[in-house]
Amino acid sequence: MDFTPTPGQEAARDLAARIFGDLATHERLSAAGTGSDPGLWKALCAAGLVSAVADTGLLGLVLLLEEQGRTTAQVPFAASCVYGLLAVRAHGSAEQRERLLPGIGDGSVVVAGALRETGAVRAEVREAGGGALSGVVPAVPWLRDATHALVADDRRRLWLARTADAGCEPVELTAPWAAGRLTLEGTPAERLGGSAADGPPAERLGGDASDGSPIEGSRRGRSPGGDPARDADDVYADVLATARTAFAGLQAGVCAGSLARAVAHTCTREQFGRPLAVRQAVQHRAADAHLDTEAIRVTAYEAAWRRDAGLPYLTHALTAAWWAAEAGHRVVHTGQHLHGGAGADLGHPVHRHFLWGRQLEAHLGCGGEVLQELGESITYGEERS
């Protein structure tokens, strides 16, 4: 395993760090409230960072999301890249890729994901790769910014629906993620891959996608098109694992940002004439938080690297998600505690890291749920090398 970023990944990460550092300021984030920052989103897309993920892969996206997490920048970067760009590139039909990817890259198309509530939506299959969706998803992050939603039905088939055709009511989450309640009442949708009756196109299940994206069906060693239900499960599992890996990278950045603020505070805040940072108890908590942050980072890197290399990575994605949930919880609490009374101030920048950390802790599965899924995967051999 070699997680050393390529020159292209390094350049994208450095550019993202500059843009987030310049524009995702405490003042702008406070002004955005619970919504997103359209100016920052425009700057990121104009710099080509969204479209660059097509070349830098999931590991490149994880590096970019780390930089977003350090500043808790309120933009739908992770959602649109995972549920839009990467999902469509890996599993979309040729027509869907040609139609949607340019808009996703320039930010005019934003895709939110509603994958976890798989029993909440039912699909009525129609001809020519279309369908009608019915059901309610209580909370979809970044739905207020989205032009499309990637929705999983009760059979784990993935559908793309235009938010303009659905009901979108604003809801508030722990973190300010511009979330909404998605109501589908016979809403027209298209099957990801273009076929509503059958599994994804066989040419994409038999190996890599035409653009080089790894496909989960080939990782599991299954023959293409043998069982549409199993094929749908493969696509769903791949998109979910990609999302878990990406959001683990985002959590690594959130934790790193929280810890950096705590270190800066304890180095300058004095008690009895000495900085708080010289006290052993403070050092121990900061050291533990650093190790937890590194554990999140390295497991996210490994899962992303394996996906980009076309290797089995579902259990690795679950491992990264578990560390993001369990260790992320500890780190953001440490960051807040080391700020003392200031950490409880709702207007303090470190409190934003706390809210993001807690939201990410339960996003796409809490620690216990992910651990159970990981254990079942290992026990029953859901992932074969």
Side-chain angles (χ1 to χ4, degrees):
M1 294 180 291
D2 184 5
F3 304 149
T4 304
T6 65
Q9 291 170 338
E10 285 186 335
R13 179 189 60 191
D14 294 344
L15 178 58
R18 288 198 297 273
I19 295 175
F20 285 128
D22 291 342
L23 299 182
T25 62
H26 177 58
E27 292 73 22
R28 287 186 64 145
L29 292 173
S30 298
T34 61
S36 60
D37 185 337
L40 175 56
W41 179 242
K42 182 178 180 180
L44 292 167
C45 294
L49 288 175
V50 176
S51 58
V53 174
D55 298 319
T56 61
L58 182 55
L59 180 56
L61 175 59
V62 167
L63 294 172
L64 299 180
L65 292 177
E66 274 194 85
E67 301 305 324
Q68 180 186 359
R70 292 178 195 274
T71 59
T72 61
Q74 293 170 205
V75 287
F77 202 162
S80 200
C81 285
V82 169
Y83 303 121
L85 192 144
L86 292 179
V88 173
R89 278 178 63 86
H91 304 293
S93 65
E95 186 276 332
Q96 287 173 333
R97 293 197 294 270
E98 181 180 0
R99 171 166 48 90
L100 295 172
L101 289 180
I104 296 172
D106 65 26
S108 59
V109 174
V110 176
V111 184
L115 264 63
R116 292 293 292 165
E117 303 291 338
T118 53
V121 176
R122 295 184 179 275
E124 177 187 347
V125 177
R126 295 177 179 175
E127 295 180 355
L133 304 182
S134 298
V136 176
V137 184
V140 180
W142 308 111
L143 184 65
R144 283 180 261 167
D145 296 330
T147 59
H148 295 71
L150 184 65
V151 183
D153 67 14
D154 55 347
R155 295 172 59 185
R156 293 193 172 186
R157 297 171 299 186
L158 297 183
W159 302 82
L160 280 165
R162 296 174 65 250
T163 55
D165 297 329
C168 302
E169 178 184 352
V171 298
E172 301 302 336
L173 302 178
T174 301
W177 283 4
R181 173 186 172 94
L182 180 65
T183 302
L184 304 163
E185 297 177 342
T187 302
E190 58 180 312
R191 177 79 179 272
L192 182 65
S195 174
D198 302 314
E203 66 267 23
R204 290 183 294 108
L205 278 173
D208 288 354
S210 61
D211 55 24
S213 304
I215 301 300
E216 185 59 28
S218 61
R219 292 195 197 97
R220 291 195 178 192
R222 296 191 187 141
S223 59
D227 183 344
R230 294 291 294 274
D231 291 343
D233 279 345
D234 282 345
V235 174
Y236 173 85
D238 181 52
V239 175
L240 180 58
T242 300
R244 282 170 162 163
T245 303
F247 281 101
L250 183 61
Q251 180 75 302
V254 169
C255 291
S258 176
L259 183 57
R261 291 187 181 278
V263 169
H265 174 79
T266 56
C267 286
T268 56
R269 177 74 170 177
E270 292 190 355
Q271 187 180 62
F272 304 114
R274 303 176 67 193
L276 291 172
V278 304
R279 303 191 179 279
Q280 193 176 56
V282 173
Q283 294 174 357
H284 285 173
R285 290 211 66 181
D288 287 343
H290 172 72
L291 291 175
D292 274 338
T293 301
E294 289 302 301
I296 301 170
R297 177 182 290 115
V298 73
T299 52
Y301 282 8
E302 181 180 11
W305 174 83
R306 291 182 67 89
R307 183 189 190 275
D308 291 342
L311 299 172
Y313 80 110
L314 296 190
T315 56
H316 300 80
L318 287 166
T319 302
W322 182 83
W323 276 103
E326 296 294 312
H329 175 97
R330 292 193 294 266
V331 173
V332 296
H333 275 266
T334 294
Q336 193 172 45
H337 291 168
L338 291 180
H339 277 77
D345 182 356
L346 300 183
H348 196 285
V350 78
H351 187 68
R352 188 176 293 108
H353 288 271
F354 177 79
L355 295 179
W356 276 63
R358 292 306 306 268
Q359 183 70 54
L360 286 164
E361 174 189 342
H363 189 56
L364 300 179
C366 64
E369 180 182 356
V370 169
L371 188 61
Q372 179 179 348
E373 191 174 340
L374 176 60
E376 291 174 350
S377 178
I378 294 172
T379 301
Y380 300 111
E382 284 297 313
E383 183 178 33
R384 296 195 296 268
S385 58

